[in-house]
Short mmCIF file of all heavy atoms in Angstrom, two decimals:
data_model
loop_
_atom_site.label_atom_id
_atom_site.label_comp_id
_atom_site.label_asym_id
_atom_site.label_seq_id
_atom_site.Cartn_x
_atom_site.Cartn_y
_atom_site.Cartn_z
N GLY A 1 -7.08 0.69 -18.57
CA GLY A 1 -7.83 0.46 -17.34
C GLY A 1 -7.20 -0.60 -16.46
O GLY A 1 -6.99 -0.40 -15.26
N TRP A 2 -6.86 -1.74 -17.07
CA TRP A 2 -6.27 -2.82 -16.28
C TRP A 2 -4.87 -2.48 -15.81
O TRP A 2 -4.47 -2.83 -14.69
CB TRP A 2 -6.28 -4.14 -17.07
CG TRP A 2 -7.67 -4.68 -17.19
CD1 TRP A 2 -8.44 -4.70 -18.32
CD2 TRP A 2 -8.46 -5.22 -16.15
NE1 TRP A 2 -9.68 -5.24 -18.03
CE2 TRP A 2 -9.71 -5.57 -16.71
CE3 TRP A 2 -8.26 -5.45 -14.80
CZ2 TRP A 2 -10.74 -6.13 -15.96
CZ3 TRP A 2 -9.28 -6.01 -14.05
CH2 TRP A 2 -10.51 -6.35 -14.63
N ALA A 3 -4.09 -1.78 -16.63
CA ALA A 3 -2.73 -1.39 -16.21
C ALA A 3 -2.79 -0.43 -15.03
O ALA A 3 -2.03 -0.58 -14.06
CB ALA A 3 -1.99 -0.75 -17.38
N LEU A 4 -3.67 0.56 -15.09
CA LEU A 4 -3.79 1.52 -13.98
C LEU A 4 -4.32 0.84 -12.73
O LEU A 4 -3.83 1.09 -11.62
CB LEU A 4 -4.69 2.69 -14.39
CG LEU A 4 -4.07 3.65 -15.40
CD1 LEU A 4 -5.14 4.60 -15.94
CD2 LEU A 4 -2.92 4.43 -14.79
N ALA A 5 -5.30 -0.05 -12.88
CA ALA A 5 -5.83 -0.77 -11.72
C ALA A 5 -4.74 -1.65 -11.10
O ALA A 5 -4.61 -1.72 -9.88
CB ALA A 5 -7.04 -1.62 -12.12
N GLY A 6 -3.94 -2.30 -11.94
CA GLY A 6 -2.85 -3.11 -11.44
C GLY A 6 -1.81 -2.29 -10.70
O GLY A 6 -1.31 -2.69 -9.65
N SER A 7 -1.51 -1.12 -11.24
CA SER A 7 -0.55 -0.23 -10.59
C SER A 7 -1.08 0.22 -9.23
O SER A 7 -0.35 0.22 -8.24
CB SER A 7 -0.27 0.97 -11.49
OG SER A 7 0.72 1.78 -10.94
N LEU A 8 -2.34 0.60 -9.18
CA LEU A 8 -2.95 1.01 -7.90
C LEU A 8 -2.96 -0.15 -6.91
O LEU A 8 -2.71 0.05 -5.72
CB LEU A 8 -4.37 1.52 -8.13
CG LEU A 8 -4.49 2.88 -8.79
CD1 LEU A 8 -5.92 3.12 -9.25
CD2 LEU A 8 -4.02 3.98 -7.86
N ALA A 9 -3.27 -1.35 -7.39
CA ALA A 9 -3.28 -2.52 -6.50
C ALA A 9 -1.89 -2.77 -5.92
O ALA A 9 -1.75 -3.05 -4.73
CB ALA A 9 -3.77 -3.76 -7.26
N ARG A 10 -0.85 -2.63 -6.74
CA ARG A 10 0.51 -2.83 -6.27
C ARG A 10 0.89 -1.76 -5.24
O ARG A 10 1.51 -2.06 -4.22
CB ARG A 10 1.49 -2.84 -7.44
CG ARG A 10 1.37 -4.10 -8.30
CD ARG A 10 2.19 -4.00 -9.57
NE ARG A 10 3.62 -3.98 -9.33
CZ ARG A 10 4.39 -5.06 -9.23
NH1 ARG A 10 3.87 -6.26 -9.35
NH2 ARG A 10 5.68 -4.93 -9.01
N VAL A 11 0.50 -0.51 -5.49
CA VAL A 11 0.74 0.56 -4.52
C VAL A 11 0.06 0.20 -3.20
O VAL A 11 0.65 0.31 -2.13
CB VAL A 11 0.24 1.93 -5.03
CG1 VAL A 11 0.19 2.95 -3.91
CG2 VAL A 11 1.12 2.43 -6.17
N GLY A 12 -1.19 -0.24 -3.28
CA GLY A 12 -1.93 -0.61 -2.07
C GLY A 12 -1.30 -1.77 -1.32
O GLY A 12 -1.24 -1.76 -0.09
N GLN A 13 -0.82 -2.76 -2.05
CA GLN A 13 -0.18 -3.91 -1.40
C GLN A 13 1.07 -3.49 -0.64
O GLN A 13 1.27 -3.91 0.50
CB GLN A 13 0.19 -4.97 -2.45
CG GLN A 13 -0.99 -5.74 -3.00
CD GLN A 13 -0.52 -6.73 -4.05
OE1 GLN A 13 -0.12 -6.34 -5.14
NE2 GLN A 13 -0.56 -8.01 -3.70
N VAL A 14 1.91 -2.68 -1.27
CA VAL A 14 3.15 -2.28 -0.61
C VAL A 14 2.85 -1.35 0.56
O VAL A 14 3.44 -1.48 1.64
CB VAL A 14 4.13 -1.61 -1.61
CG1 VAL A 14 5.40 -1.16 -0.90
CG2 VAL A 14 4.47 -2.56 -2.74
N ALA A 15 1.91 -0.41 0.37
CA ALA A 15 1.54 0.51 1.45
C ALA A 15 1.00 -0.27 2.65
O ALA A 15 1.34 0.01 3.80
CB ALA A 15 0.51 1.52 0.96
N ARG A 16 0.15 -1.27 2.39
CA ARG A 16 -0.40 -2.08 3.48
C ARG A 16 0.69 -2.88 4.17
O ARG A 16 0.72 -2.99 5.39
CB ARG A 16 -1.49 -3.01 2.95
CG ARG A 16 -2.00 -3.95 3.98
CD ARG A 16 -3.43 -3.92 4.36
NE ARG A 16 -4.32 -3.08 3.64
CZ ARG A 16 -4.96 -2.05 4.19
NH1 ARG A 16 -4.76 -1.76 5.45
NH2 ARG A 16 -5.80 -1.33 3.50
N ALA A 17 1.61 -3.46 3.40
CA ALA A 17 2.71 -4.22 4.00
C ALA A 17 3.58 -3.32 4.87
O ALA A 17 3.99 -3.71 5.97
CB ALA A 17 3.55 -4.88 2.91
N LEU A 18 3.84 -2.10 4.40
CA LEU A 18 4.60 -1.14 5.21
C LEU A 18 3.83 -0.77 6.47
O LEU A 18 4.41 -0.66 7.55
CB LEU A 18 4.90 0.13 4.41
CG LEU A 18 6.17 0.12 3.57
CD1 LEU A 18 6.23 1.35 2.68
CD2 LEU A 18 7.40 0.04 4.45
N GLU A 19 2.54 -0.57 6.32
CA GLU A 19 1.68 -0.23 7.47
C GLU A 19 1.76 -1.33 8.53
O GLU A 19 1.94 -1.05 9.71
CB GLU A 19 0.24 -0.05 6.98
CG GLU A 19 -0.78 0.12 8.06
CD GLU A 19 -2.20 0.09 7.52
OE1 GLU A 19 -2.39 0.17 6.30
OE2 GLU A 19 -3.12 -0.02 8.34
N GLU A 20 1.65 -2.58 8.09
CA GLU A 20 1.69 -3.69 9.04
C GLU A 20 3.06 -3.81 9.70
O GLU A 20 3.16 -4.08 10.88
CB GLU A 20 1.34 -5.00 8.31
CG GLU A 20 -0.11 -5.07 7.91
CD GLU A 20 -0.41 -6.25 6.99
OE1 GLU A 20 0.51 -7.03 6.65
OE2 GLU A 20 -1.58 -6.38 6.59
N ARG A 21 4.09 -3.59 8.92
CA ARG A 21 5.44 -3.73 9.44
C ARG A 21 5.80 -2.60 10.40
O ARG A 21 6.47 -2.82 11.39
CB ARG A 21 6.43 -3.78 8.28
CG ARG A 21 7.79 -4.24 8.72
CD ARG A 21 8.66 -4.58 7.59
NE ARG A 21 8.24 -5.83 6.96
CZ ARG A 21 8.83 -6.34 5.91
NH1 ARG A 21 9.84 -5.73 5.37
NH2 ARG A 21 8.41 -7.47 5.39
N GLU A 22 5.38 -1.38 10.08
CA GLU A 22 5.76 -0.22 10.89
C GLU A 22 4.74 0.11 11.97
O GLU A 22 5.02 0.95 12.83
CB GLU A 22 5.96 1.00 9.98
CG GLU A 22 7.13 0.83 9.03
CD GLU A 22 7.34 2.04 8.14
OE1 GLU A 22 6.39 2.82 7.94
OE2 GLU A 22 8.47 2.19 7.65
N GLY A 23 3.58 -0.49 11.90
CA GLY A 23 2.57 -0.25 12.93
C GLY A 23 1.93 1.12 12.86
O GLY A 23 1.46 1.63 13.87
N VAL A 24 1.93 1.74 11.69
CA VAL A 24 1.26 3.03 11.51
C VAL A 24 0.27 2.91 10.37
O VAL A 24 0.38 2.02 9.53
CB VAL A 24 2.27 4.18 11.19
CG1 VAL A 24 3.20 4.41 12.36
CG2 VAL A 24 3.06 3.89 9.93
N TRP A 25 -0.71 3.79 10.34
CA TRP A 25 -1.71 3.71 9.28
C TRP A 25 -1.18 4.31 7.99
O TRP A 25 -0.26 5.11 7.97
CB TRP A 25 -3.04 4.34 9.70
CG TRP A 25 -2.93 5.80 10.06
CD1 TRP A 25 -3.08 6.86 9.23
CD2 TRP A 25 -2.68 6.34 11.34
NE1 TRP A 25 -2.92 8.03 9.91
CE2 TRP A 25 -2.68 7.74 11.22
CE3 TRP A 25 -2.43 5.78 12.60
CZ2 TRP A 25 -2.44 8.59 12.29
CZ3 TRP A 25 -2.21 6.64 13.66
CH2 TRP A 25 -2.21 8.00 13.51
N VAL A 26 -1.80 3.90 6.88
CA VAL A 26 -1.40 4.38 5.57
C VAL A 26 -1.49 5.90 5.55
O VAL A 26 -2.43 6.49 6.04
CB VAL A 26 -2.30 3.77 4.48
CG1 VAL A 26 -2.01 4.39 3.12
CG2 VAL A 26 -2.08 2.26 4.42
N GLY A 27 -0.50 6.54 4.97
CA GLY A 27 -0.45 8.00 4.93
C GLY A 27 0.55 8.55 5.93
O GLY A 27 0.76 9.74 6.00
N GLN A 28 1.14 7.68 6.70
CA GLN A 28 2.15 8.09 7.68
C GLN A 28 3.37 7.21 7.49
O GLN A 28 3.36 6.27 6.71
CB GLN A 28 1.59 7.92 9.09
CG GLN A 28 0.33 8.69 9.32
CD GLN A 28 0.45 9.59 10.51
OE1 GLN A 28 1.15 9.29 11.46
NE2 GLN A 28 -0.24 10.69 10.46
N GLY A 29 4.41 7.50 8.21
CA GLY A 29 5.60 6.67 8.19
C GLY A 29 6.19 6.52 6.80
O GLY A 29 6.37 7.48 6.07
N GLY A 30 6.50 5.27 6.42
CA GLY A 30 7.14 4.99 5.15
C GLY A 30 6.32 5.40 3.95
O GLY A 30 6.86 5.82 2.93
#
């Protein structure tokens, strides 16, 4: 449970950082 939650959190962190950097919403761009 904790490993999967941690993996999802890391995915979310990188996706959000890409979103902020590229100016597009999650699910688009990078």
Side-chain angles (χ1 to χ4, degrees):
W2 289 108
L4 289 168
S7 185
L8 287 167
R10 289 171 67 88
V11 167
Q13 286 179 290
V14 178
R16 174 119 6 244
L18 272 172
E19 172 188 348
E20 290 170 0
R21 194 167 288 178
E22 295 181 338
V24 296
W25 60 91
V26 173
Q28 302 234 329

